[in-house]
Amino acid sequence: MGKDFATAGHLASYAGLAPVTWRSGTSIRGDHSSHRGNKVLKRALFLSAFAALKDPLSRAYYDRKRAEHKKHNQALIALARRRCNVLFAMLRDGTYFHAPMEATAA
């Protein structure tokens, strides 16, 4: 029996990929990576994001995040979160992943 998630954000939060805000009273310290969540799922998504750097679409997303001045690990976590969103959509729709076809110039 699996878990049901209402949104992709819920799945990302469960995996520990959603950013959290550290607060104490009136002190707000911004968004940081979560130390909670399912560590096995988070590791699997992180390693799949690292392996996906050989894929041109994933590499383009990673490079775009690096161009936004994100550090290597931040860009990888962003890619893992994106892959988590795709995984949620596949589970929700009951479909397989099909890479988008690139337009070929004739």
Side-chain angles (χ1 to χ4, degrees):
M1 198 95 175
K3 295 196 175 278
D4 292 328
F5 299 100
T7 65
H10 287 109
L11 177 59
S13 180
Y14 175 77
L17 292 173
V20 293
T21 303
W22 292 348
R23 294 179 183 203
S24 176
T26 58
S27 175
I28 300 174
R29 297 186 203 127
D31 291 334
H32 301 279
S33 61
S34 175
H35 296 285
R36 295 183 175 197
N38 186 324
K39 293 185 183 355
V40 174
L41 180 58
K42 182 177 185 177
R43 182 170 171 80
L45 288 168
F46 185 82
L47 290 175
S48 76
F50 189 75
L53 290 178
K54 293 181 173 137
D55 175 57
L57 293 174
S58 295
R59 180 54 125 178
Y61 183 81
Y62 172 83
D63 290 340
R64 191 165 64 240
K65 290 299 172 183
R66 291 289 295 181
E68 294 173 6
H69 305 292
K70 303 262 187 220
K71 294 180 182 175
H72 170 72
N73 277 354
Q74 290 173 320
L76 271 181
I77 289 172
L79 181 57
R81 169 62 190 264
R82 183 174 180 157
R83 294 175 68 81
C84 181
N85 293 346
V86 170
L87 177 64
F88 173 79
M90 289 168 43
L91 291 172
R92 179 194 63 208
D93 301 339
T95 60
Y96 295 108
F97 178 76
H98 298 289
M101 301 293 283
E102 291 188 30
T104 57

